[in-house]
Amino acid sequence: MKKFRINEIFYSLQGEGFNTGRAAVFVRFSGCNLRCPFCDTDFSAYQELTADEIVETVRTSHLASRPSPLVVLTGGEPTLQVDEALIDSFHQQGYKVAMESNGTRVPPANLDWLTVSPKDAPVVVEHCNELKCIFDESGRVEDNPLPADHYFLQPCDVGDPVRNEQIVARCVEYIKQHPRWRLSLQTHKLIHIP
């Protein structure tokens, strides 16, 4: 029976992008095919779970009287492990399934929502629901980004409040000049929730 490497499963609010503020159960997969310097995920500790164990943990991770209809598959890079069968298992329980990916691998076709956050690697995804690009100190944004339904720029958190403030200000100015983009702040960090 297939097992998945799971870093953590938790119930919280989506802190970024289009679904900011929406209650969701997050399934964080361990492992990634990239090594981004700003990544905040510890991949050294994980547990191996079957699809049934993951779905059951998701089902019991929030109050049964207030079920969350959204599951967010994140990582690391979830396309390294997630398959259509796992997503079908969530669908059978009434969940909508979103995935946050770096776009370097083709995701399962039965996803309900795909967020691509490209890094410094070739993107193979041809379209996504949401494109979320990190706006760092370089201020570079691709002129012809991946086709998406929604475009977000997210100021990079470099761990220095003064530099972060400068990055946010430059990001805001960029968006004012390029209104296709919308600002995505990491609200979960701002309000101190997981």
Side-chain angles (χ1 to χ4, degrees):
M1 179 167 286
K2 181 175 180 177
K3 293 203 172 193
F4 301 86
R5 293 181 319 276
I6 303 299
N7 186 276
E8 62 182 328
I9 298 174
F10 61 96
Y11 183 50
S12 190
L13 300 182
Q14 175 60 276
E16 307 170 357
F18 184 83
N19 289 305
T20 296
R22 185 173 177 185
V25 178
F26 294 82
V27 179
R28 186 178 304 280
F29 289 81
S30 185
C32 188
N33 56 336
L34 303 178
R35 297 292 176 256
C36 301
F38 50 80
C39 183
D40 58 2
T41 302
D42 175 12
F43 298 119
S44 63
Y46 60 86
Q47 56 183 323
E48 291 187 345
L49 300 175
T50 65
D52 289 343
E53 290 169 329
I54 294 169
V55 172
E56 180 62 16
T57 303
V58 165
R59 195 183 66 69
T60 59
S61 68
H62 57 282
L63 299 174
S65 63
R66 299 176 189 225
S68 171
L70 182 64
V71 172
V72 178
L73 308 177
T74 186
E77 177 50 44
T79 60
L80 295 172
Q81 299 182 61
V82 174
D83 55 21
E84 289 189 9
L86 177 60
I87 295 169
D88 284 342
S89 296
F90 284 121
H91 285 158
Q92 291 167 5
Q93 296 298 315
Y95 290 103
K96 296 288 185 196
V97 182
M99 178 183 282
E100 297 177 354
S101 171
N102 60 29
T104 60
R105 297 172 48 90
V106 176
N110 57 344
L111 282 171
D112 299 301
W113 186 268
L114 176 62
T115 299
V116 171
S117 183
K119 309 302 186 279
D120 289 332
V123 172
V124 299
V125 172
E126 295 180 1
H127 180 270
C128 61
N129 301 101
E130 172 181 5
L131 181 66
K132 184 176 59 180
C133 294
I134 304 298
F135 190 93
D136 61 15
E137 291 177 296
S138 74
R140 289 189 320 264
V141 176
E142 189 172 330
D143 291 334
N144 297 303
L146 170 70
D149 301 327
H150 307 277
Y151 295 87
F152 290 90
L153 287 182
Q154 184 167 296
C156 186
D157 180 354
V158 297
D160 177 332
V162 172
R163 287 172 52 205
N164 284 351
E165 188 175 326
Q166 293 168 347
I167 294 168
V168 169
R170 289 179 59 217
C171 185
V172 167
E173 286 306 312
Y174 185 91
I175 292 169
K176 286 165 59 177
Q177 295 173 22
H178 303 87
R180 166 202 327 219
W181 296 95
R182 291 172 52 190
L183 181 65
S184 174
L185 298 176
Q186 292 179 301
T187 58
H188 56 291
K189 290 184 178 179
L190 297 172
I191 61 175
H192 308 291
I193 61 171

